[in-house]
Amino acid sequence: MTAETPADPHGAVTVDARVLAEELAGAEGRAPSADVAEYALWLGDDALILSQQLGAWIARAPELEEDVALANIALDLLGHARALLRYAGTIDGRTEDDLAYWRDEHEFRCAWLFEQPNGDFAQTIARQLAASAYQFELYSALQDSADPTLAAIAAKAVREVEYHRDHAVQWTLRLAGGTDESRRRMIRAVDDVWPYVDELFRDDELIGRLPGVAVEPARLRAPFERVVDAVFAEAALTRPDEFTAAGGGRRGAHFPTLGPLLAEMQVLARRHPGAVW
Amino acid sequence: MTEGRAWAVAAAVPDPEVPVLTIADLGILRDVQETGDRVAVTITPTYSGCPAVDAIRDDLVLALTEAGYADVEVRLTLSPAWSTDWMSDEGRAKLRAYGIAPPGRRAERSGPIPVQLGVACPRCGSLRTREVSRFGSTSCKALYECRACLEPFDHFKVH
C-alpha cells in the first residue's frame, strides 16, 4: 500500500487529531461536559450510520447520477459525524476514529431510523425524507445552542441538509407520481420507514439536563410534520400513524441491522490497528 | 488583517478541485496574522465533508514556507459558515470562463418544495438549460446540460 504508491503531494499527510479538536470553531480548547459529549454522540452516530448506509449505494443506484448524489450526501453526513464525534471525544482524549472504529454496538447512540436497511431505492428515499426533514429542523434549532461548538457545527450542517431534503422531496414526488410500480413501492417504503420516526421526537433525561444547549426533541415534531405533510399532500401519499417501533438507540439497544453494518465498517481498522494511507 | 505579504501569498493558493479559483476567490480564506516570520492562517471549509481542506492546508504551509515564513500555522474555523455569496466577482468571471456556471445569490425560500431558478450556459449564454443531477463531481457542483448548444456543464451550486 505504501512502497509502490507514486509520490502524491497530498498523500503523506497525517493530522494530529488533538490539534484538530482544538481548532474546532467555538471550542476554544474547552472539552464538553459529559452530558454535552453524550448529546454530540447521539447526533454524530445518526450521521455516521446514515453515511455508511448510503455509501453502499455507490455503483448500485438506479442511475449514474444517483450514485453521485448519494455519495455526495454521504460525504456531507460524514463531515457532520467527524465534527460531532471529534468534539465528543475531546472529553476523554478519544479521536473520531477511536469512536467510529473501536466502540461496540451497545456503545453506539444512533436512533433506529438511521439503522433501517437501504431496501429498494424507494425505501432509501423514504428514509432520506424522514432523516433529512428531521435533521433540517434539528440543526436549524441547534444553531442557537448555548454551546458554541454545537452551534457552529449546526450552522454549517443545516444548509447541506436542506439540499439533502430537496433531493428526497423531489424523488418522493417523482416515485409517487411515476409509474404504477414506482408508486406502489413508494407507498410500501413510507409504510416500512415511518414507524421509526417517532423515536426521534421522544424526550429524554439527558435533554432535560441540557437546557439551552440541546434541542428538545418534542418541539421538532410539529415543524417536521408540517414539511412532510406538505410533501405527502403533493405526492398524494398518506402519512402512516398506526404503528410505532420500540426504539432504544439512545440507550444502546439497536435494530438487528446495526451489528453487521458495524462489522463491515470496522473490520479494516480492527484488523490493522493504526493503519494509515 | 487583509493586507501584507503573507496575505498575498496565501490568497494566491489555488483550490485543488477547481484550480482556476484561488482560495481568496472562493471566499474560504478568512484571516492571516503575520508576526515577523510567524504566520497564522484561518480558513473555513466549503462543505462539511470536503476532502480538499487537508490539501489546502498542505498547500498553504508549502507556499508560505517557500515564501520564507519559518512558522506557519493553519487553523480551521466552521463559524461563520461559508456561503457562495463570499465568492468574489472576479472568481465568478473566472469560473464562467473556465466553463463552470457560477452561483447566483442566495434566495429566501417559502416552502419545502424547491423552486429551480434558471442557470445560464457558460458556453453560449442560453437559459434553455436543464439540471441533469443536483449533485456533481464535487460537493460544490451540480450537473447541467444546455439545450441550445447541447453541451453538458457544471454549475457551482448556490450555498
Side-chain angles (χ1 to χ4, degrees):
Chain A
M1 201 181 336
T2 48
E4 304 84 358
T5 309
D8 173 352
H10 307 305
V13 186
T14 53
V15 178
D16 187 303
R18 261 185 332 207
V19 174
L20 267 182
E22 284 161 13
E23 287 170 0
L24 249 190
E28 291 152 18
R30 280 182 289 115
S33 69
D35 283 343
V36 172
E38 173 75 6
Y39 184 60
L41 218 47
W42 285 22
L43 310 189
D45 283 348
D46 287 351
L48 176 65
I49 297 308
L50 188 57
S51 175
Q52 175 73 13
Q53 298 238 53
L54 291 177
W57 273 108
I58 298 171
R60 290 195 175 89
E63 52 189 31
L64 180 62
E65 287 77 9
E66 274 310 297
D67 287 349
V68 175
L70 294 171
N72 267 287
I73 293 171
L75 184 64
D76 288 341
L77 290 166
L78 190 62
H80 309 158
R82 290 185 62 187
L84 288 160
L85 295 186
R86 195 186 292 153
Y87 186 43
T90 51
I91 190 174
D92 53 8
R94 282 189 288 179
T95 66
E96 60 194 64
D97 281 359
D98 292 337
L99 289 169
Y101 296 132
W102 295 95
R103 279 181 301 155
D104 290 332
E105 183 179 335
H106 68 279
E107 297 169 283
F108 275 77
R109 292 292 177 264
C110 35
W112 284 17
L113 173 72
F114 302 91
E115 303 168 5
Q116 292 312 297
N118 282 344
D120 62 11
F121 186 65
Q123 183 155 355
T124 287
I125 291 302
R127 190 187 63 200
Q128 277 305 104
L129 179 67
S132 61
Y134 160 72
Q135 288 181 324
F136 179 80
E137 301 304 334
L138 169 71
Y139 291 135
S140 294
L142 194 63
Q143 293 180 91
D144 300 322
S145 171
D147 184 288
T149 304
L150 291 178
I153 293 169
K156 188 88 196 142
V158 69
R159 289 187 192 171
E160 294 160 8
V161 167
E162 185 179 17
Y163 214 75
H164 305 171
R165 193 181 67 171
D166 284 353
H167 172 265
V169 167
Q170 291 193 329
W171 270 112
T172 301
L173 298 177
R174 191 168 157 192
L175 293 175
T179 63
D180 289 346
E181 176 69 3
S182 73
R183 179 166 178 80
R184 183 184 70 76
R185 289 196 188 210
M186 194 66 227
I187 290 170
R188 191 183 61 190
V190 169
D191 282 345
D192 283 349
V193 164
W194 236 254
Y196 303 96
V197 167
D198 183 74
E199 183 184 11
L200 303 173
F201 303 113
R202 291 180 195 158
D203 282 328
D204 189 282
E205 284 175 17
L206 175 76
I207 306 296
R209 293 197 300 272
L210 293 171
V213 171
V215 179
E216 290 163 54
R219 69 176 261 217
L220 300 175
R221 190 188 291 267
F224 169 89
E225 287 181 351
R226 265 198 300 279
V227 170
V228 297
D229 285 353
V231 175
F232 284 171
E234 180 84 13
L237 295 170
T238 310
R239 172 157 58 86
D241 58 3
E242 309 88 68
F243 171 65
T244 295
R250 306 304 190 200
R251 297 263 174 279
H254 292 288
F255 203 72
T257 46
L258 186 66
L261 181 148
L262 291 179
E264 185 177 73
M265 186 177 84
Q266 296 176 330
V267 63
L268 189 72
R270 292 185 177 209
R271 284 286 291 276
H272 305 281
V276 291
W277 64 86
Chain B
M1 127 161 213
T2 56
E3 298 300 322
R5 199 169 73 89
W7 174 279
V9 173
V13 169
D15 177 80
E17 285 177 351
V18 190
V20 69
L21 293 183
T22 68
I23 62 171
D25 291 332
L26 198 51
I28 64 173
L29 180 62
R30 305 308 297 157
D31 188 50
V32 179
Q33 296 290 336
E34 188 178 350
T35 323
D37 64 356
R38 274 198 56 131
V39 59
V41 182
T42 304
I43 56 172
T44 190
T46 54
Y47 284 74
S48 298
C50 184
V53 169
D54 289 337
I56 292 169
R57 177 197 300 267
D58 271 11
D59 292 344
L60 277 166
V61 171
L62 184 68
L64 287 160
T65 304
E66 283 180 352
Y69 293 93
D71 185 355
V72 180
E73 183 189 8
V74 180
R75 298 183 154 272
L76 194 64
T77 183
L78 293 185
S79 179
W82 174 80
S83 159
T84 44
D85 284 355
W86 295 353
M87 187 184 289
S88 66
D89 288 340
E90 194 188 346
R92 288 166 204 269
K94 285 183 191 169
L95 271 184
R96 200 178 291 109
Y98 189 62
I100 297 176
R105 301 285 169 184
R106 272 180 77 81
E108 292 301 312
R109 53 186 298 160
S110 53
I113 298 175
V115 178
Q116 299 287 328
L117 297 179
V119 172
C121 172
R123 295 175 199 279
C124 73
S126 171
L127 280 166
R128 283 179 57 218
T129 60
R130 186 180 80 92
E131 182 187 81
V132 177
S133 170
R134 300 180 61 73
F135 296 85
S137 55
T138 65
S139 302
C140 55
K141 286 178 283 185
L143 188 61
Y144 273 67
E145 69 182 12
C146 178
R147 288 173 158 176
C149 71
L150 305 179
E151 289 291 331
F153 64 92
D154 277 334
H155 168 47
F156 204 108
K157 297 187 289 209
V158 179
H159 189 74

